[in-house]
Amino acid sequence: AGSVYGRLLENSATGKALPGATVTCGGKTTTTNINGFYYIGEITPGNHTLKFSKTGFQTYSKTVAITAGTSLDAGVNYLIKKPNLPASVAQYKSDGITSISYGGTTNQNTVVLKGVVTDPYSKNVKLQIELRRLDEYGGGFTGTFTQQSVFVASGSTASIKVSDLINGNYHWRARSVNSDGAISDW
């Protein structure tokens, strides 16, 4: 068997150690220590996915080739924090000012959806939404965004104008995406 070791840091700009992150390779799992170091031994030789994850951070993985009797230095790897969940999410009539209450209705076929988007690194952020009619996909979501705003400065309100809605009942959810491509949860 072989082994793999390395170090995990937070975002290359900060270079802070990332303790307590989960590292998996070849069916084995460990966590990084207080200085971000990890070691996984007894890995079957071959190509394996080395995966790093931690709550609140973007998951990262890469392929490594494990050789019998050797220890592979996987080097320094980085995880970046996800942008924060959108805050103050609200829905408005087509003027973008008149609010539509939760469960409310409008006779307009255009709505404006808004949310305050922030990023822990102050990166520019955009709002993505998944808007679905309740009579499609069994009333659920698919996990794919349907509309998105332009990038705005962290801490700003992002808005999405949705037009040409057909008469029906809708629901929606939102997430944030930063300019590095890191995505918040829904």
Side-chain angles (χ1 to χ4, degrees), residues 68-146:
T70 62
S71 193
L72 173 67
D73 180 357
V76 175
N77 293 277
Y78 299 93
L79 286 186
I80 57 174
K81 284 184 180 177
K82 294 178 180 180
N84 300 315
L85 291 172
S88 303
V89 176
Q91 51 198 15
Y92 299 87
K93 292 187 176 186
S94 61
D95 63 7
I97 299 169
T98 308
S99 66
I100 304 169
S101 64
Y102 177 77
T105 62
T106 180
N107 60 357
Q108 298 178 338
N109 67 350
T110 298
V111 296
V112 178
L113 307 174
K114 297 181 182 182
V116 176
V117 289
T118 57
D119 182 77
Y121 303 119
S122 297
K123 302 273 185 185
N124 288 339
V125 194
K126 65 183 171 182
L127 182 69
Q128 285 185 341
I129 63 159
E130 181 177 9
L131 174 71
R132 302 287 180 197
R133 287 189 326 274
L134 290 176
D135 63 354
E136 64 181 346
Y137 302 108
F141 293 106
T142 66
T144 305
F145 76 91
T146 55

